[in-house]
Amino acid sequence: MNRRSFLKKAAGSLLALVGLSGGTYYYAREIEPTLLEINNEIITSNKISPAFNNFKIVQFSDTHIGFHYTNEQFKELVTKINKQNPDIVVFTGDLVDEPHQFDWNYDLVESLRSLKANHGKFWIYGNHDHGGYGTEIIQSVMDQSGFTLLKNNHTTIELDSERIVLAGIDDVMLGQPDIEAALDNVNPDLFTILLAHEPDIADTAVNFSVDVQLSGHSHGGQVRFPFVGHLYTPAYAEKYVQGKYELGGEKLTLYVNRGIGTTRLPYRFLCKPEIYSFTLESGKQM
């Protein structure tokens, strides 16, 4: 959808909110965007070794700092993530809204650096990270913050000589994603998590040895109405919008994160911001 079509739909949703009541509009703009939900999920698989029982992965996505979301708010988010005591933290793209207009300073690096994870912090590019000539800037900020970029490659997390695989691809819209390269030489017997900003790429990922895909990008639609659902989602988030999906006869589980911030228009309605806290559980008999 081009910008004109988006704004036309967005204007329609704005009028709908205003039409409900001024109070509803105020809630959607000022209240709901601050109502963070922490969604706890248990991921069970026979491919997960007992060594990884209770291993915790926290995912956050789509902060869009600079557009109705400040670094002060991000600092509060960091505190909430740290309280989850994650073993790894993963960020699935769109750090700031417009990299070429953002007031880059050390505060953001300091906030990102203060995120704590026992076994590492990892990230992938989103479309806004590549947009506005932000590609190199974002990578520099994340490098300084102790995050490892997964761009068409993978890493292994090891505990007691047992391993899981964490892979990531470049952004689908503005990058050069390559799932095959990301999974090159990965042992298919190892439990594998794929980070991909755009959720609809799951229809391709299901053909590979991927057990779980973590995505963002959709914002859950930002605005949802009872019996109607979301009014709009961007390209590559039109099929899978929010929550959990099973693909390929449960071969692949996809989780679509509604994200933290907003973009284009600064409100959420019946679509609260969220982070995911995943706890791994071995399906093997002890």
Side-chain angles (χ1 to χ4, degrees):
M1 181 177 290
N2 61 33
R3 182 177 178 85
R4 179 176 295 177
S5 298
F6 171 85
L7 291 175
K8 184 177 179 180
K9 275 186 171 286
S13 63
L14 175 60
L15 289 173
L17 286 173
V18 173
L20 287 173
S21 74
T24 301
Y25 174 73
Y26 178 81
Y27 169 82
R29 182 181 175 92
E30 304 296 339
I31 304 301
E32 186 165 305
T34 69
L35 300 180
L36 178 72
E37 287 190 344
I38 300 174
N39 287 327
N40 295 289
E41 291 279 343
I42 296 175
I43 299 176
T44 304
S45 172
N46 290 333
K47 294 169 71 174
I48 297 174
S49 163
F52 281 91
N53 273 336
N54 299 316
F55 189 89
K56 186 177 286 188
I57 301 168
V58 172
Q59 177 207 12
F60 72 104
S61 193
D62 297 272
T63 45
H64 289 271
I65 301 169
F67 182 80
H68 204 61
Y69 191 77
T70 67
N71 193 46
E72 287 303 315
Q73 290 173 297
F74 183 64
K75 287 179 181 178
E76 295 175 7
L77 175 67
V78 166
T79 298
K80 292 176 181 177
I81 291 175
N82 284 339
K83 285 182 179 179
Q84 299 299 305
N85 295 315
D87 289 292
I88 63 173
V89 169
V90 297
F91 174 63
T92 45
D94 285 0
L95 180 64
V96 305
D97 199 64
E98 295 183 317
H100 62 300
Q101 295 183 359
F102 186 70
D103 180 20
W104 295 100
N105 57 63
Y106 187 74
D107 285 349
L108 180 54
V109 172
E110 190 174 54
S111 296
L112 286 162
R113 186 178 288 169
S114 65
L115 278 165
K116 306 298 181 184
N118 298 324
H119 295 275
K121 303 183 294 188
F122 304 89
W123 74 287
I124 57 170
Y125 279 108
N127 55 301
H128 280 256
D129 301 317
H130 278 314
Y133 308 101
T135 305
E136 290 77 19
I137 298 173
I138 301 292
Q139 182 167 0
S140 175
V141 166
M142 297 304 273
D143 285 348
Q144 293 176 62
S145 305
F147 276 76
T148 299
L149 173 63
L150 296 175
K151 182 181 177 183
N152 300 329
N153 62 343
H154 68 270
T155 187
T156 56
I157 311 296
E158 187 168 333
L159 276 176
D160 299 334
S161 299
E162 300 290 344
R163 294 175 295 160
I164 62 173
V165 175
L166 184 64
I169 59 170
D170 199 2
D171 179 68
V172 174
M173 294 179 68
L174 298 180
Q176 297 180 320
D178 190 334
I179 296 179
E180 187 171 358
L183 300 173
D184 187 40
N185 291 321
V186 168
N187 182 344
D189 294 331
L190 295 178
F191 183 76
T192 299
I193 299 170
L194 175 69
L195 308 182
H197 183 65
E198 287 85 355
D200 289 359
I201 197 68
D203 285 337
T204 299
V206 72
N207 298 312
F208 292 84
S209 182
V210 175
D211 300 289
V212 170
Q213 177 181 315
L214 305 182
S215 296
H217 185 55
S218 70
H219 296 221
Q222 282 192 196
V223 172
R224 304 179 68 88
F225 289 105
F227 311 111
V228 176
H230 62 277
L231 299 177
Y232 164 81
T233 53
Y236 300 104
E238 296 166 306
K239 186 174 182 180
Y240 306 113
V241 177
Q242 65 169 353
K244 179 181 178 181
Y245 301 86
E246 300 286 357
L247 286 74
E250 300 187 5
K251 178 181 182 293
L252 169 66
T253 303
L254 166 66
Y255 292 94
V256 185
N257 192 312
R258 294 194 302 265
I260 300 298
T262 59
T263 189
R264 305 281 186 161
L265 293 170
Y267 50 77
R268 285 180 176 268
F269 187 68
L270 303 183
C271 192
K272 294 175 183 176
E274 70 179 349
I275 61 174
Y276 268 110
S277 180
F278 301 100
T279 301
L280 301 189
E281 182 178 88
S282 176
K284 297 179 179 178
Q285 296 298 320
M286 296 292 288

